[in-house]
Amino acid sequence: MAETCGRKLFVEVCNAKNLMPKDGQGTASAYAIVDFEGQRRRTKTKFRDLNPQWDEKHEFLVHDIEAMASEILEVNLYNDKKTGKRSTFLGKVKVAGTTFVKSGSESLIYYPLEKRSVFSQIKGELGLKVYYIDEDPPAGGGAVAESEQKPETTPVAEEKPPENQEEKESKVKEEEKKEEEKPKEEPKAEEKSNENPPENPKPEESPAVEPEKPVEVENPPIAHTEKPKQMQKAKSETEKLADLSVNDLELRSDRSRRAYDLVDRMPFLYVRVVKAKRESSDGGSSSMYAKLVIGTHSIKTKSQSEKDWDQVFAFDKEGLNSTSLEVSVWAEEKKENEDQKTENCLGTVSFDLQEVPKRVPPDSPLAPQWYSLESDKSPGNDVMLAVWLGTQADEAFQEAWQSDSGGLIPETRAKVYLSPKLWYLRLTVIQTQDLQFDSASEPKSRNLELYVKGQLGPQVFKTGRTTVGSANPTWNEDLVFVAAEPFEPFLVVTVEDVTNGKSVGQAKIHMASIEKRTDDRTDTKSRWFNLVGDETRPYTGRIHLRISLEGGYHVLDEAAHVTSDVRAAAKQLAKPPIGLLEVGIRSASNLLPVKTKDGTRGTIDAYVVAKYGPKWVRTRTILDRFNPRWNEQYTWDVYDPCTVLTIGVFDNGRYTRQENDGVLKQPGKDLRVGKVRIRLSTLDINQAYSTTYSLTVLLPTGAKKMGDLEIAVRFSTFSWLSLIQSYSTPMLPRMHYIRPLGPTQQDILRHTAMRIVTTRLARSEPAMGHEVVQYMLDSDTHVWSMRRSKANWFRVIGCLSRAVALARWFDEIRTWVHPPTTVLIHVLLIAVVLCPNLILPTLFMYAFLILTFRFRYRHRNSHNMDPRLSYVDFVSTDELDEEFDGFPTARSADQIRVRYDRLRALGGRAQVLLGDVAAQGERLEALFNWRDPRATGIFVVFCLGASLLFYAVPFKAFLLGFGFYYFRHPRFRGDMPSVPANFFRRLPSLSDQMI
């Protein structure tokens, strides 16, 4: 509300580039109008400048801090004609509230100007800085009212504010009058303007203000009841211009209502035990606890002397074996002169489960009541509690003691984890000066080899070596690190000597002092840092560095083929989400035991992990069940449809930590049960998929089916236009294309990011095991695997089989296997030669009809990992053992020799194939390089004759003749290869020059 508002939004309109000329003389006189939450600001006009520079700062009040993320900041550019005519449109920029950053993190961002319609002629970019400042709320209401009565239509950039209140009011009226008079003249001028094609002008896209309309404001702030009507009209414009469709608003507002519509409601019996009241005490110190008994289920509350527990217990109703609930209160008493404790029952109260009321959210929680405890020994005692029947959608479920997941064990509770925010840190080593070596290396200082080493936490990267042949050794090399928030305190840069392995000096750079940048348009300033040696050498020279945190990249922390997030690291570059992903984790069936319980029988404690983007979710662990039911639903914002959702099932081995001689054992590892991947682009929009997926895990003994997982998935979109437009945009942010990282460097950084994410999630409470994170991120895809190599080989063969089938079909036509088809091809050849303009229309129409016909045969279910495609059923035991072997290997020398020989055989076949492919290109190159003078001479004579022939013979006649000759009957065709094939195979390659 306005009374408690302590946030201000600042928008710096810096400059624009390459604007579209609009004044008929090759220039434009541009000004900007900034709208936010009903507040409007206008910059000065820069006359006759296609690259105007404003550098104006405008201030806006944020009325509702919580709703700021859903607001839209809009900046419209116009050409000021100054002749009474309507200003022409130069472009607009919309900035989502989710990209606003706090003061100190802002940077100059260039936004491309958007069109008003498909017919608008717009180009150029607008540079903005957008940030907010949180201030303490004013102490009294009078101060608030006085600050809120500032004329919000007046730009903040004015140097002299009005001196008194009368001048303020007159200024407001004057500005309102100007704004109301201006749009009256503009519509007529728009009809006469010929600079733009005819458009249907939209009122919300014009600088003019609409006629006054009533605005409905929910819970209007008291301090703003007197604000000008001009602001209310601008507020309605901003709401219209917000890039949210009706579906968007419905999806966002219905998240709570649709929180459990993809899963089944599971009935739970809830018991809230609040406190107890004891009539009298026999003296001594005593504490009390409550005990709940339902059939074979028995649980105690915490024992304390205050008699207030306020604990909630949730019993899975399907697992109950009784129709009554008994709640008893016990007192633990210790006499003053005795060491032993005695437990006395203060009474019991019973409930018939068939009479327990039901509660369905969003009903308010059931109020606890006092119940009298029945007891013959100590009457008059009471207990306050509440009992009701609910589902997992109840607000008390997450914090309640849960019977199906082991009670209040932290390792078995449902949790949401977030991956750390990752940045690329670019360290550019330029040169060093005034290096001072120690006395031992001083005589050799002119011949030393130096390199620079950068270290950020455990990451160490080095530059190349350079010889100290001058006073200023120069490198000009980039070292790129992965930095995770919160950052390491220091970046350590060390200059080291290669000859003796000693450090010449080092510099520690505070991470807080490193500049963040979002693109390549703003160059980071280089700085000199002093190098420090040991205690005897406080100064050993200085080093010239350029350091920046690159926010324009997306830091890849998962395998490229299963990526789930492609957003840039900088918040300013974030785009609004295009959809919503909802996942309902329902149940699993026929799970196999993976461990033993009590040393007698097999069991499994299963839970599910789902990962999409930086958000990880883990369901509660269902203990000792082969058909667990979770029925938990989660949501994610979707920013790109061509991303992958990963879901894994694991056995919980970390929640049991037995004592061994008074010392807790280290937690065990979570065993993998199976994994499911779903690509969002294969899902239909707004359709719920409820599918059972087979869980297959690869073990050293082979592939094994561990059971089935049932999940429900729905991908909803806010705007069809944004969804379709995303297919035309690059997958990765702009910096990946204008300043790309090398493949080897990117692979190293990816695995570094994986290790950072694994370490950070392992430090959570409760921890997510590193084996879980690595399995979900596919961190072992870079390791050699004979199985994966065979699978990829057969994938290539599968892709080429289509071309082979087409070539075989073409050969059957050529050999007259089916004469009617060959005759039809001859007719088609004649039609193509006589009417070549029909070739492309016929091809595209044929493709349209084929694809439309195959629409009915599309897959109705979402895709999953295919064991046959992964080649898990056709691999030997030794090859599987090789895949599970660590790096470096831990196998015997004889076993490694066998595997090496097998790898050499496979590499030999690949070597021959690569040589054959290279030979074909070398033969073609030899034809033009006169490596075989006679062959090239024959080809020269052939080219001369062909040129004369095509001068005399029309191309249509040649094409028709060649087609009939090529499709001639086999009785007119010889068995030997053709003359061109013989000639090409005789051309020399470089194979004979290989050693």
Side-chain angles (χ1 to χ4, degrees):
M1 309 304 292
E3 296 88 338
T4 61
C5 176
R7 177 171 292 181
K8 292 183 179 180
L9 180 69
F10 291 89
V11 181
E12 294 188 22
V13 184
C14 299
N15 61 343
K17 296 181 179 180
N18 303 322
L19 296 180
M20 176 69 72
K22 290 288 186 177
D23 60 355
Q25 300 178 3
T27 61
S29 301
Y31 68 91
I33 292 182
V34 188
D35 287 308
F36 179 75
E37 265 195 337
Q39 306 166 64
R40 172 168 290 188
R41 305 288 186 270
R42 185 186 188 278
T43 67
K44 298 178 181 179
T45 301
K46 297 297 180 180
F47 294 99
R48 302 178 64 82
D49 190 355
L50 294 179
N51 297 282
Q53 188 84 19
W54 290 284
D55 293 328
E56 296 185 19
K57 181 191 295 185
H58 300 278
E59 176 184 340
F60 300 87
L61 293 177
V62 180
H63 300 144
D64 191 349
I65 296 179
E66 296 181 355
M68 187 185 72
S70 61
E71 295 291 342
I72 299 293
L73 170 71
E74 181 169 344
V75 184
N76 289 271
L77 289 185
Y78 297 95
N79 174 46
D80 194 351
K81 293 188 175 180
K82 291 293 183 180
T83 58
K85 298 182 180 179
R86 181 174 179 176
S87 300
T88 53
F89 184 69
L90 292 176
K92 63 180 179 180
V93 168
K94 291 181 180 179
V95 183
T98 55
T99 63
F100 298 165
V101 296
K102 200 168 185 179
S103 177
S105 301
E106 74 276 4
S107 60
L108 178 60
I109 307 294
Y110 284 92
Y111 298 91
L113 293 174
E114 301 177 5
K115 296 182 178 181
R116 185 165 56 187
S117 66
V118 295
F119 301 106
S120 299
Q121 297 179 1
I122 301 300
K123 72 172 184 177
E125 297 175 320
L126 178 64
L128 300 175
K129 287 185 181 180
V130 184
Y131 57 94
Y132 61 87
I133 296 178
D134 289 327
E135 299 177 349
D136 295 332
V144 175
E146 184 178 355
S147 63
E148 295 296 339
Q149 290 179 1
K150 290 183 179 180
E152 296 185 349
T153 56
T154 305
V156 181
E158 292 182 358
E159 298 178 358
K160 296 182 180 181
E163 297 178 357
N164 51 42
Q165 186 65 24
E166 294 180 358
E167 293 183 1
K168 289 184 179 180
E169 295 177 356
S170 62
K171 187 75 174 179
V172 171
K173 294 180 181 180
E174 183 179 356
E175 292 292 334
E176 290 182 9
K177 187 175 180 181
K178 290 181 179 179
E179 292 293 334
E180 291 177 358
E181 291 176 356
K182 187 175 181 179
K184 294 179 182 179
E185 303 172 352
E186 289 176 351
K188 297 180 181 179
E190 179 66 19
E191 299 176 359
K192 302 177 181 179
S193 177
N194 296 324
E195 295 180 13
N196 292 327
E199 298 178 358
N200 294 325
K202 299 180 181 179
E204 66 271 19
E205 295 170 343
S206 169
V209 181
E210 287 185 323
E212 183 178 348
K213 296 181 181 179
V215 180
E216 297 181 2
V217 180
E218 187 177 358
N219 298 328
I222 298 175
H224 285 267
T225 54
E226 298 296 328
K227 68 182 181 180
K229 297 179 181 179
Q230 173 77 16
M231 293 179 54
Q232 295 186 3
K233 290 179 278 186
K235 174 67 176 178
S236 63
E237 285 186 13
T238 307
E239 292 174 348
K240 290 180 182 179
L241 288 174
D243 193 16
L244 299 174
S245 62
V246 178
N247 293 334
D248 183 1
L249 297 174
E250 290 178 355
L251 289 175
R252 292 177 183 269
S253 60
D254 289 353
R255 283 199 184 190
S256 59
R257 181 173 62 83
R258 295 167 49 169
Y260 289 91
D261 64 337
L262 292 179
V263 296
D264 298 332
R265 299 295 179 101
M266 299 178 62
F268 282 87
L269 173 66
Y270 289 91
V271 182
R272 178 185 292 275
V273 185
V274 183
K275 57 185 176 179
K277 181 171 61 177
R278 188 175 183 182
E279 185 67 22
S280 61
S281 178
D282 297 337
S285 60
S286 64
S287 60
M288 301 173 62
Y289 67 87
K291 184 178 181 181
L292 287 70
V293 178
I294 308 177
T296 58
H297 292 276
S298 178
I299 185 64
K300 296 180 180 180
T301 65
K302 54 188 176 183
S303 179
Q304 55 188 22
S305 58
E306 290 81 3
K307 306 167 189 163
D308 293 343
W309 302 290
D310 198 12
Q311 287 185 259
V312 182
F313 300 86
F315 297 91
D316 185 7
K317 194 170 183 299
E318 294 183 357
L320 300 180
N321 52 9
S322 177
T323 59
S324 63
L325 164 69
E326 291 185 358
V327 181
S328 56
V329 180
W330 296 73
E332 296 177 338
E333 297 182 351
K334 183 179 181 180
K335 301 297 184 180
E336 296 180 357
N337 299 326
E338 298 180 5
D339 295 334
Q340 296 181 353
K341 288 185 179 181
T342 60
E343 294 186 353
N344 298 324
C345 181
L346 302 182
T348 305
V349 60
S350 300
F351 296 89
D352 187 358
L353 299 186
Q354 297 180 356
E355 302 297 331
V356 173
K358 295 182 179 180
R359 176 184 177 264
V360 179
D363 292 349
S364 299
L366 190 65
Q369 302 179 19
W370 285 105
Y371 292 90
S372 299
L373 296 173
E374 299 179 1
S375 177
D376 297 334
K377 297 182 179 180
S378 55
N381 301 321
D382 299 324
V383 63
M384 178 180 284
L385 53 83
V387 184
W388 72 93
L389 286 175
T391 65
Q392 76 272 29
D394 201 292
E395 296 87 348
F397 180 73
Q398 296 300 331
E399 300 300 328
W401 177 96
Q402 300 167 4
S403 62
D404 58 351
S405 60
L408 293 173
I409 303 175
E411 288 80 7
T412 62
R413 312 282 288 182
K415 293 293 180 182
V416 175
Y417 300 82
L418 290 177
S419 298
K421 188 174 182 180
L422 303 177
W423 297 70
Y424 282 143
L425 173 64
R426 188 184 297 275
L427 169 64
T428 305
V429 181
I430 303 175
Q431 66 177 0
T432 56
Q433 284 184 356
D434 304 332
L435 294 181
Q436 300 179 9
F437 304 94
D438 56 4
S439 57
S441 59
E442 185 67 29
K444 306 176 183 178
S445 60
R446 303 297 295 180
N447 298 320
L448 294 180
E449 283 189 346
L450 303 178
Y451 66 86
V452 178
K453 179 181 71 176
Q455 182 174 1
L456 180 65
Q459 304 176 62
V460 177
F461 293 101
K462 301 177 182 179
T463 65
R465 301 179 181 182
T466 182
T467 304
V468 185
S470 62
N472 303 322
T474 303
W475 284 272
N476 286 323
E477 292 186 29
D478 287 347
L479 302 179
V480 182
F481 303 82
V482 178
E485 294 184 355
F487 299 121
E488 299 284 344
F490 294 101
L491 169 67
V492 182
V493 181
T494 309
V495 180
E496 292 192 357
D497 182 7
V498 180
T499 56
N500 54 20
K502 293 183 179 180
S503 172
V504 178
Q506 70 175 11
K508 286 187 175 182
I509 299 118
H510 285 274
M511 290 292 294
S513 64
I514 297 178
E515 180 183 352
K516 297 179 180 179
R517 71 170 190 168
T518 58
D519 51 31
D520 63 328
R521 297 185 179 94
T522 56
D523 293 332
T524 305
K525 295 182 180 179
S526 58
R527 292 186 291 171
W528 288 94
F529 297 90
N530 291 335
L531 296 174
V532 180
D534 51 17
E535 297 179 356
T536 61
R537 297 185 302 154
Y539 176 79
T540 59
R542 61 176 187 165
I543 187 170
H544 194 195
L545 304 174
R546 182 182 295 111
I547 315 172
S548 62
L549 284 166
E550 301 287 350
Y553 290 94
H554 167 69
V555 182
L556 297 172
D557 60 344
E558 51 194 345
H561 61 282
V562 293
T563 183
S564 60
D565 190 12
V566 292
R567 291 176 294 167
K571 184 180 179 182
Q572 299 93 320
L573 299 180
K575 296 181 179 179
I578 63 173
L580 188 68
L581 174 63
E582 299 167 278
V583 179
I585 303 173
R586 299 171 64 89
S587 62
S589 58
N590 304 322
L591 295 181
L592 298 181
V594 297
K595 59 187 178 183
T596 58
K597 185 177 183 180
D598 301 329
T600 56
R601 64 183 182 88
T603 184
I604 185 173
D605 303 324
Y607 69 93
V608 180
V609 175
K611 187 226 182 275
Y612 184 78
K615 180 180 176 181
W616 300 63
V617 299
R618 188 185 73 177
T619 66
R620 66 188 190 279
T621 302
I622 306 298
L623 302 180
D624 196 17
R625 293 188 187 179
F626 297 109
N627 298 286
R629 297 175 63 220
W630 295 280
N631 284 307
E632 300 180 19
Q633 186 168 334
Y634 300 92
T635 60
W636 286 267
D637 286 327
V638 177
Y639 296 88
D640 194 293
C642 301
T643 46
V644 178
L645 166 71
T646 304
I647 300 176
V649 183
F650 301 89
D651 170 74
N652 197 330
R654 293 178 173 267
Y655 75 96
T656 55
R657 299 182 65 181
Q658 301 176 354
E659 291 189 5
N660 185 12
D661 297 333
V663 180
L664 286 177
K665 292 182 179 180
Q666 291 295 328
K669 291 186 176 182
D670 295 344
L671 302 178
R672 58 184 68 172
V673 179
K675 185 164 55 178
V676 174
R677 293 198 198 100
I678 301 174
R679 182 170 289 273
L680 270 60
S681 59
T682 62
L683 303 177
D684 291 340
I685 300 300
N686 299 327
Q687 179 176 342
Y689 293 84
S690 182
T691 313
T692 300
Y693 297 92
S694 177
L695 295 174
T696 303
V697 65
L698 190 63
L699 302 174
T701 56
K704 187 176 183 180
K705 181 180 179 181
M706 303 296 295
D708 299 307
L709 176 66
E710 182 184 2
I711 61 175
V713 182
R714 179 171 55 218
F715 175 36
S716 308
T717 183
F718 302 149
S719 171
W720 272 94
L721 182 61
S722 299
L723 179 64
I724 296 174
Q725 185 183 4
S726 64
Y727 280 86
S728 62
T729 58
M731 278 286 294
L732 295 173
R734 179 173 178 268
M735 285 292 288
H736 285 270
Y737 303 99
I738 61 175
R739 196 171 181 181
L741 302 172
T744 304
Q745 184 183 32
Q746 199 170 44
D747 194 54
I748 294 174
L749 294 175
R750 179 187 293 114
H751 289 95
T752 303
M754 287 182 180
R755 288 193 295 269
I756 292 176
V757 172
T758 302
T759 304
R760 290 291 179 91
L761 293 181
R763 286 160 50 185
S764 303
E765 183 60 36
M768 182 175 286
H770 66 277
E771 67 278 2
V772 175
V773 180
Q774 291 177 0
Y775 183 58
M776 296 291 289
L777 294 179
D778 285 344
S779 60
D780 58 345
T781 53
H782 67 289
V783 181
W784 162 260
S785 169
M786 181 68 74
R787 176 188 61 84
R788 288 198 187 97
S789 300
K790 290 182 178 179
N792 290 334
W793 170 258
F794 285 108
R795 287 172 59 194
V796 174
I797 296 300
C799 294
L800 295 178
S801 63
R802 302 291 187 270
V804 173
L806 181 62
R808 186 180 297 113
W809 175 76
F810 207 75
D811 187 68
E812 290 177 355
I813 294 175
R814 183 169 174 263
T815 54
W816 292 72
V817 174
H818 191 250
T821 304
T822 306
V823 173
L824 183 62
I825 292 298
H826 281 78
V827 175
L828 181 62
L829 175 63
I830 297 174
V832 167
V833 171
L834 297 180
C835 302
N837 57 324
L838 297 179
I839 296 177
L840 292 179
T842 304
L843 288 177
F844 284 110
M845 180 58 67
Y846 181 76
F848 168 77
L849 295 176
I850 291 297
L851 295 176
T852 305
F853 177 76
R854 290 186 176 182
F855 178 75
R856 67 171 75 179
Y857 302 108
R858 73 189 190 281
H859 290 277
R860 302 290 181 175
N861 298 326
S862 56
H863 298 266
N864 187 25
M865 294 184 294
D866 188 0
R868 293 182 59 87
L869 182 64
S870 304
Y871 209 73
V872 296
D873 298 328
F874 310 97
V875 64
S876 64
T877 306
D878 183 64
E879 292 173 352
L880 280 175
D881 182 73
E882 180 184 12
E883 183 172 349
F884 281 90
D885 189 11
F887 190 85
T889 182
R891 300 298 183 262
S892 63
D894 294 337
Q895 203 169 0
I896 298 303
R897 185 179 296 108
V898 173
R899 293 177 181 174
Y900 178 63
D901 292 339
R902 182 177 59 199
L903 185 60
R904 289 175 60 193
L906 180 63
R909 292 196 294 269
Q911 172 184 300
V912 173
L913 177 62
L914 291 176
D916 292 341
V917 173
Q920 309 309 316
E922 290 168 354
R923 285 169 178 162
L924 185 62
E925 185 180 3
L927 185 63
F928 293 91
N929 290 340
W930 291 86
R931 289 195 60 232
D932 186 343
R934 284 166 294 279
T936 306
I938 295 173
F939 183 68
V940 169
V941 174
F942 170 78
C943 292
L944 178 61
S947 63
L948 298 177
L949 177 64
F950 282 111
Y951 271 114
V953 180
F955 180 75
K956 291 183 178 181
F958 167 78
L959 183 61
L960 190 62
F962 176 79
F964 278 110
Y965 175 77
Y966 185 79
F967 290 115
R968 67 191 185 279
H969 198 273
R971 69 177 61 184
F972 302 110
R973 187 182 299 120
D975 298 331
M976 301 303 291
S978 62
V979 173
N982 295 331
F983 179 79
F984 184 77
R985 289 172 184 172
R986 291 179 175 274
L987 292 174
S989 66
L990 300 180
S991 301
D992 53 349
Q993 299 181 20
M994 296 285 294
I995 297 178

